Amino acid sequence: MMHPDDIRELLAAAIPNAEIEVRDLTGGGDHFEVTVVSEIFAGRGRVDQHQLVYAPLRAALADRIHALALKTYTPEQWRQRPKSLRVIA
């Protein structure tokens, strides 16, 4: 079981200056949705972007996180999304 703040801290340490939103989807501390917006994703494919997020969570994914829905965006991609779809303020 993990708290969303724990996930946010791990990701913030690995991806500095990223905007990170972590939602516990069930309230049980093991099913999460993570949205990360960062310049580090620019020029990378979706698989590479997701690997950058999975890497700092690898240990948690092995035994504490059962499911992780992941969305990654560059700041430009994020700005182009309709405001109604944005989670991060």
Side-chain angles (χ1 to χ4, degrees):
M1 189 166 146
M2 279 188 91
H3 191 277
D5 289 342
D6 298 331
I7 294 172
R8 189 175 300 106
E9 285 180 25
L10 288 169
L11 294 175
I15 308 172
N17 302 317
E19 294 183 55
I20 302 165
E21 175 75 24
V22 181
R23 294 180 355 159
D24 184 341
L25 297 176
T26 63
D30 61 352
H31 288 70
F32 296 95
E33 178 181 86
V34 174
T35 302
V36 182
V37 180
S38 174
E39 283 289 343
I40 198 170
F41 300 136
R44 298 176 187 259
R46 189 71 66 199
V47 171
D48 287 342
Q49 293 176 9
H50 286 200
Q51 287 176 341
L52 288 170
V53 176
Y54 286 133
L57 301 176
R58 193 171 319 274
L61 285 165
D63 60 0
R64 291 180 283 165
I65 298 174
H66 180 71
L68 180 68
L70 180 57
K71 298 175 183 174
T72 54
Y73 303 95
T74 65
E76 182 177 339
Q77 290 171 326
W78 185 254
R79 283 189 294 273
Q80 293 174 354
R81 289 177 51 92
K83 288 185 179 182
S84 62
L85 297 178
R86 296 181 194 171
V87 176
I88 301 170

